[in-house]
Amino acid sequence: MLRIAICDDEQEMVSSHKKVIEECLRECNEMGEIVTYTVSDNLLCDVTEDQFYYDLILLDIEMPGHDGMEMAGKLKPYLPNVKIIFITSHIEYAIDAFELSIFRYVPKDNREVKLPQAVTDAIRLITLEGGKVYTIQNSSRLEKIPYKDIMYIQREGKNAEIFDGNEVKKVRKSLQQVFDELDSEEFIFTDRGCIVNIIHVMQIKDGEAIMKNGEHLPISRSHLQDVKLKLNTYWGTHIG
């Protein structure tokens, strides 16, 4: 079951967003628990102090107290994989939203069109991340690694080294072979010797992919434009 939060200081907007989410869940044939907030501090307290977990959060940027941008920055360390959809009337926030790795940016003046698609895309992505696994087979056992846990894969001699955030797992295959077996748009080559999982990419800066754990992975000049394009396509258009 997906856990989804809505935070907007206007009760009318909260009710409207909730109806959109309920309809999107039905269309995606998914179950979800929806928790609503009209005070941003309450959401922040639930996550940071009471350790509430959410898969998806809809945030209004213009709120009293902690605004949406500030909230996103404070929530991300506690919910590194959460998908955040910003809803706002101020287009200039889009650049900051991109750097926070916000899933989607929905302008208020077009939310009737953009919000259902953004929520549907988020639900499908969350479901996708939670289900796929990559299987490593050796002489003694099979090991399954969830796609969502794979941060990046690098070439090391004749091996491919899979880093899942805790340890490195080696498989005696080429990077191209592993890439073909993964067969998922989540994984992209950043250069000839590295594949990254774009779920874990925070931003692209100075020719490097900056990962959620703080690591900087190089992007070759020949791959840079393709990596940016695929990231933008995958994360969705921030300005509709």
Side-chain angles (χ1 to χ4, degrees), residues 13 31 77 98 142 152 156 159 165-166 168-169 173 177 204 214 220:
M13 288 294 98
M31 300 292 290
F98 183 83
L142 291 175
Y152 58 87
E156 179 60 36
N159 295 316
N166 296 310
V168 176
K169 299 176 174 65
K173 295 179 180 178
Q177 186 176 355
I204 302 300
S220 68

Side-chain angles (χ1 to χ4, degrees), residues 78-125:
Y78 294 88
L79 301 171
N81 296 316
V82 71
K83 305 294 179 286
I84 295 177
I85 296 175
F86 270 157
I87 303 169
T88 182
S89 56
H90 292 282
I91 201 167
E92 64 270 17
Y93 286 119
I95 294 176
D96 293 326
F98 183 83
E99 297 212 350
L100 279 169
S101 189
I102 300 305
F103 177 73
R104 195 67 56 88
Y105 180 99
V106 175
K108 283 186 177 179
D109 61 4
N110 199 22
R111 63 184 176 84
E112 291 84 1
V113 175
K114 296 293 183 180
L115 185 57
Q117 186 60 59
V119 172
T120 297
D121 289 348
I123 291 170
R124 288 173 176 167
L125 176 57

Side-chain angles (χ1 to χ4, degrees), residues 125-156:
L125 176 57
I126 293 164
T127 303
L128 176 68
E129 290 175 2
K132 289 188 176 181
V133 296
Y134 182 71
T135 302
I136 297 176
Q137 182 173 5
N138 56 38
S139 57
S140 60
R141 63 191 176 94
L142 291 175
E143 183 173 4
K144 295 184 177 181
I145 309 172
Y147 277 26
K148 65 183 179 64
D149 291 343
I150 299 173
M151 297 192 69
Y152 58 87
I153 308 160
Q154 290 184 321
R155 182 178 58 205
E156 179 60 36

Side-chain angles (χ1 to χ4, degrees), residues 56-73:
L56 172 64
I57 300 176
L58 274 63
L59 278 178
D60 180 16
I61 288 186
E62 300 91 27
M63 291 185 293
H66 296 288
D67 65 23
M69 293 296 297
E70 185 181 359
M71 285 286 291

Side-chain angles (χ1 to χ4, degrees), residues 188-192 194-196 209 217-220 223-224 227:
I188 55 176
F189 275 95
T190 56
D191 65 24
R192 292 171 59 187
C194 185
I195 299 168
V196 301
L217 301 176
I219 304 174
S220 68
H223 284 79
L224 185 58
V227 170

Side-chain angles (χ1 to χ4, degrees), residues 5 9 11 23 46 64 68-69 72 103-104 118 128 138 162 168 201-202 206 212 214 227 237:
D9 61 304
Q11 183 60 53
E23 179 59 30
D46 279 353
M69 293 296 297
F103 177 73
R104 195 67 56 88
L128 176 68
N138 56 38
I162 301 172
V168 176
V201 177
M202 287 295 292
D206 299 329
K212 289 180 179 179
V227 170
T237 303

